[in-house]
Amino acid sequence: MGYREIYEGWKADPEGFWMQAAEAIDWERKPSRALDDSRAPFYGWYADGTCNACWNALDRHVEAGHGDRLAIIHDSPITGTRASLTFREARDRVARLAGALAAKGVGKGDRVVIYMPMVPEALIAMLACARLGAIHSVVFGGFAAPELAVRIDDAEPKALIAASCGIEPGRVVAYKPMVDQAIEMSRWKPDFCVILQREQAEATLVEGRDHEWHAFQEGAEPAPCTMVGGMDPLYILYTSGTTGQPKGVVRATGGYLVALEWTMRNIYAIDPGEVFFTASDVGWVVGHSYICYGPLVRGATTIVFEGKPVGTPDAGTFWRVIEEHEVRSFFTAPTAFRAIKREDPQAEFLAKHDISSLRYLFLAGERADPDTIEWAQRHLKVPVIDHWWQTETGWAIAANPVGIELLPVKPGSPTVPMPGYDVQILDEAGNPLPPNTLGAVAIRLPLPPGTLPTLWNADERFRSAYLDTYPGYYATGDAGTIDEDGYLAIMARTDDVINVAGHRLSTGAMEEVLASHPDVAECAVLGIADPLKGQVPMGFLCLNRGSTRDHDEVIRECIALVRERIGPVAAFRNACVVDRLPKTRSGKILRGVMGRIVEGRDWKAPATIDDPAILDEISESVAGLRNKPD
Ligand code: COA
Ligand code: AMP
């Protein structure tokens, strides 16, 4: 069957489609039905089934006689080390950690925050929580202590699992002091911490609260899998919204396992025993779905890559990994390819490696520009598949399902909606728009299995953020088009979220930090086009009336403040001081026209502007910035 028949088959009988897909995972008790619409517009899936994510990721493959297959490969060019774990070894290590956590009182429904770099122990920790039915919440290592504290307060974890440090090119990032600072700042205090000591920066442990990773597990009884309900949460993953308070995306267990299994076959075309390589981070949704759960649930080998696309040691590092581990499908963000292309435009490093094992390259996380796709296609000589999704959905909304059939690639389009997603382009009033007309991208409810049922402890916020804008639809926050062949194009966000090197960040959160600077009266942060990172943030600061502070000094302080409060991942390096911000007569900041000015594009003062002269002032400030040496 081809894509069209499968998609139409789903549309005609969604219940039958998802009940059949559910056959691919192990259930303790099979669900009697797929969709639970008893609380619409809050939907759930496989409500009366019981299962366990760790069982599906590890134990079932060992039980089926595949215990000696590789489950996890750690390839760390940044530390010069490599290691691997078979499914049996991974299961045993996970069961032991789970046993130790259980002995300290962690059980079903308890939360555990994980703050770790790209080491296999990050996956072991996630799976150990899953084994107990505990809910993990992984926080990306590039976030600073206050961001970690906000997540601790929201998730109220019983335990926190961290590594002593992460390693970035040219510097060791000590994680443990940030953990200590976050716990100090947070209202909620975890009962205990488990710390993986890395030799690059050993952490000081707090007596009575902190336990060293190995000592903690010594003599622990391996824990069995605790079965959970299909709708019980597997994890909470915080993502940026319009304010400084991140949204806790909840992932329900049963639907997620079913959806991931389906995607591993039908989108990524991976069979059990094959090697899948996702170069991202466990702190992001891509890492949850396709470094941890997806490949393992499929019985495939996953690679935990600790390095960067360039500089660890060179722009050939991905090709080496693909050759060495015989990678079949490779998934990363377009920004990684832009970094490689910039460093090695003729792909000379590629010639040094045999990447003939590779069948497909998958890109997501930000818009894949046609240039990057074309470059990758020309040099890798495999189909380059752009696909579009978000933290909220957990898996692709639109993709080219190469496991079913390779549809013609249209550069600039993530191809077509996957079964489960009825995607519509709507105007402001919520009416569907004709083909090739730009509008808000919305998905008709219910969303499919694996997508968020709600936000953690925030049903009302879930409703107002996603469901209220277009009744009957989930608002994705993206704007785009659908052409006459049903191909989507995702063009921009409709909210204050920006995408920096594939990382999703909130300009609103940055504005909150800038506004807290004692000399800043008002501010705005915009996402500005950047050839490497897609977008970078830029701040406009209005200082308090009568302020005599040196502008450069205030800017430096503001940059440091964002790094301290949000983290280096925000990549906030540009700001300028302006007298006033351009606003509409109703007081809305005119971000669009400011962005055009900064990017050096044509601009025109909108009719609604309060005082057009402000735009000339902004233009002058930005020109001054361009002429300034770095
Ligand atoms: N822990 C601590 N700090 C981290 C970190 C982590 N896990 N990840 C990133 N940082 C820091 C970096 O060291 C850098 O700090 P600096 O300001 O001191 O240089 C800052 O956060 C920004 O990092 P990054 O976004 O990685 O930018 P970069 O300039 O170092 O590298 C790329 C640029 C394109 C090579 C890089 O962004 C990249 O590999 N992107 C891949 C995108 C990706 O995987 N996206 C995930 C979604 S699929
Ligand atoms: P995140 O939740 O971090 O995965 O970010 C999701 C957002 O990234 C989406 O809402 C889009 O704005 C953007 N995005 C992700 N993948 C793509 C893609 N393939 N094309 C265009 N935008 C994308």
Side-chain angles (χ1 to χ4, degrees):
M1 259 202 288
Y3 159 76
R4 294 265 163 227
E5 281 163 282
I6 291 178
Y7 188 79
E8 291 309 323
W10 158 73
K11 250 185 156 170
D13 179 16
E15 182 71 15
F17 181 91
W18 290 117
M19 283 305 275
Q20 199 194 339
E23 298 285 329
I25 72 153
D26 276 11
W27 299 91
E28 181 206 34
R29 188 176 68 227
K30 285 203 170 176
S32 64
R33 50 191 294 234
L35 180 66
D36 176 352
D37 54 5
S38 58
R39 286 185 64 235
F42 293 83
Y43 295 94
W45 293 91
Y46 309 116
D48 64 355
T50 55
C51 61
N52 179 281
C54 180
W55 173 273
N56 275 282
L58 300 175
D59 300 57
R60 69 162 171 165
H61 307 304
V62 180
E63 299 291 318
H66 305 308
D68 294 330
R69 275 190 192 153
L70 285 189
I72 303 171
I73 294 172
H74 183 222
D75 189 306
S76 172
I78 206 147
T79 59
T81 59
R82 278 179 224 151
S84 57
L85 290 172
T86 64
F87 276 94
R88 182 177 296 103
E89 288 164 340
R91 189 228 17 214
D92 292 348
R93 285 187 55 180
V94 167
R96 200 164 55 243
L97 176 61
L101 289 168
K104 289 280 288 174
V106 175
K108 188 171 163 184
D110 290 332
R111 274 80 60 211
V112 176
V113 163
I114 299 173
Y115 188 59
M116 294 181 106
M118 288 296 288
V119 289
E121 286 82 357
L123 272 59
I124 303 278
M126 292 161 81
L127 291 158
C129 293
R131 195 169 186 88
L132 297 173
I135 303 165
H136 59 69
S137 187
V138 182
V139 179
F140 178 61
F143 281 122
E147 290 287 329
L148 181 56
V150 168
R151 289 154 174 80
I152 291 173
D153 274 336
D154 197 68
E156 304 188 331
K158 199 162 233 174
L160 192 149
I161 305 178
S164 59
C165 67
I167 300 143
E168 286 293 293
R171 71 191 169 111
V172 172
V173 184
Y175 280 16
K176 182 57 180 11
M178 286 196 267
V179 168
D180 293 340
Q181 209 186 324
I183 296 177
E184 178 90 29
M185 294 168 80
S186 60
R187 173 190 47 77
W188 178 268
K189 311 289 174 197
D191 291 352
F192 66 97
C193 301
V194 181
I195 307 294
L196 175 75
Q197 293 282 21
R198 303 188 80 191
E199 62 183 31
Q200 292 81 1
E202 291 236 346
T204 316
L205 303 185
V206 174
E207 184 84 32
R209 187 196 72 186
D210 299 346
H211 304 267
E212 187 274 324
W213 174 271
H214 295 285
F216 177 70
Q217 301 179 54
E218 230 165 68
E221 263 309 294
C225 293
T226 299
M227 295 297 154
V228 301
M231 279 165 61
D232 284 337
L234 171 61
Y235 64 77
I236 308 165
L237 180 56
Y238 288 89
T239 190
S240 300
T242 40
T243 67
Q245 179 66 29
K247 297 170 174 165
V249 167
V250 173
R251 191 78 60 215
T253 306
Y256 189 50
L257 298 175
V258 172
L260 290 184
E261 228 283 340
W262 191 90
T263 62
M264 289 305 298
R265 290 167 195 256
N266 296 299
I267 299 180
Y268 303 103
I270 286 287
D271 283 334
E274 293 186 336
V275 182
F276 190 55
F277 174 23
T278 299
S280 176
D281 191 284
V282 283
W284 306 116
V285 70
V286 172
H288 282 66
S289 294
Y290 296 111
I291 294 174
C292 187
Y293 292 106
L296 296 178
V297 167
R298 182 76 176 125
T301 306
T302 187
I303 297 184
V304 176
F305 173 77
E306 192 181 20
K308 300 271 173 178
V310 294
T312 59
D314 53 42
T317 199
F318 283 164
W319 323 139
R320 182 208 35 93
V321 171
I322 292 168
E323 175 177 28
E324 204 167 305
H325 306 298
E326 294 180 43
V327 170
R328 299 293 264 169
S329 288
F330 174 37
F331 178 178
T332 191
T335 190
F337 265 80
R338 289 197 296 270
I340 295 170
K341 186 171 112 187
R342 190 166 77 167
E343 195 101 348
D344 182 19
Q346 301 309 323
E348 282 162 19
F349 280 105
L350 195 51
K352 299 180 191 159
H353 298 280
D354 171 7
I355 61 156
S356 56
S357 61
L358 190 71
R359 283 178 305 197
Y360 301 103
L361 166 67
F362 294 89
L363 298 177
E366 56 172 326
R367 184 175 156 75
D369 50 292
D371 267 5
T372 302
I373 292 193
E374 195 270 328
W375 186 88
Q377 223 151 18
R378 181 151 43 92
H379 291 290
L380 300 189
K381 299 185 174 63
V382 297
V384 178
I385 311 299
D386 177 16
H387 59 322
W388 166 63
W389 48 298
Q390 15 179 247
T391 306
E392 288 85 344
T393 64
W395 59 285
I397 307 166
N400 194 330
V402 299
I404 298 172
E405 65 172 316
L406 174 63
L407 297 170
V409 171
K410 293 190 190 181
S413 164
T415 321
V416 289
M418 291 298 91
Y421 294 101
D422 181 351
V423 182
Q424 303 285 330
I425 307 293
L426 305 179
D427 67 13
E428 277 182 13
N431 304 311
L433 285 165
N436 301 311
T437 313
L438 186 69
V441 189
I443 302 164
R444 208 187 294 276
L445 294 173
L447 292 176
T451 57
L452 82 171
T454 190
L455 295 174
W456 182 250
N457 277 340
D459 280 354
E460 268 324 299
R461 189 174 181 199
F462 172 70
R463 203 193 269 269
S464 63
Y466 302 106
L467 307 182
D468 284 352
T469 326
Y470 307 110
Y473 292 92
Y474 163 87
T476 64
D478 284 318
T481 58
I482 298 182
D483 73 9
E484 40 290 293
D485 299 326
Y487 277 55
L488 271 153
I490 302 299
M491 308 308 291
R493 290 287 302 189
T494 56
D495 55 14
D496 297 334
V497 165
I498 59 170
N499 199 313
V500 180
H503 308 314
R504 175 166 159 182
L505 298 164
S506 159
T507 53
M510 291 185 226
E511 286 171 4
E512 282 175 31
V513 173
L514 297 177
S516 75
H517 187 286
D519 293 296
V520 173
E522 202 183 11
C523 64
V525 175
L526 314 181
I528 303 297
D530 179 81
L532 175 65
K533 296 192 172 190
Q535 283 184 303
V536 288
M538 160 129 194
F540 291 84
L541 312 169
C542 300
L543 304 192
N544 292 326
R545 198 181 296 271
S547 166
T548 52
R549 291 287 316 276
D550 176 65
H551 289 181
D552 285 346
E553 213 171 282
V554 175
I555 289 171
R556 268 197 303 278
E557 288 166 9
C558 282
I559 288 173
L561 205 58
V562 174
R563 194 176 171 94
E564 214 174 276
R565 297 261 187 91
I566 297 182
V569 67
F572 183 80
R573 296 200 178 97
N574 303 307
C576 63
V577 172
V578 291
D579 278 346
R580 295 166 297 164
L581 293 172
K583 291 185 185 166
T584 61
R585 280 179 218 110
S586 59
K588 215 173 149 234
I589 297 175
L590 289 161
R591 292 158 194 282
V593 70
M594 286 169 80
R596 296 186 79 87
I597 293 174
V598 180
E599 286 168 6
R601 292 189 283 151
D602 290 343
W603 59 273
K604 203 167 99 216
T608 50
I609 194 164
D610 182 26
D611 174 3
I614 304 179
L615 292 177
D616 296 318
E617 287 170 28
I618 299 248
S619 202
E620 268 168 44
S621 306
V622 170
L625 209 65
R626 277 207 199 94
N627 298 332
K628 222 158 78 176
D630 256 355

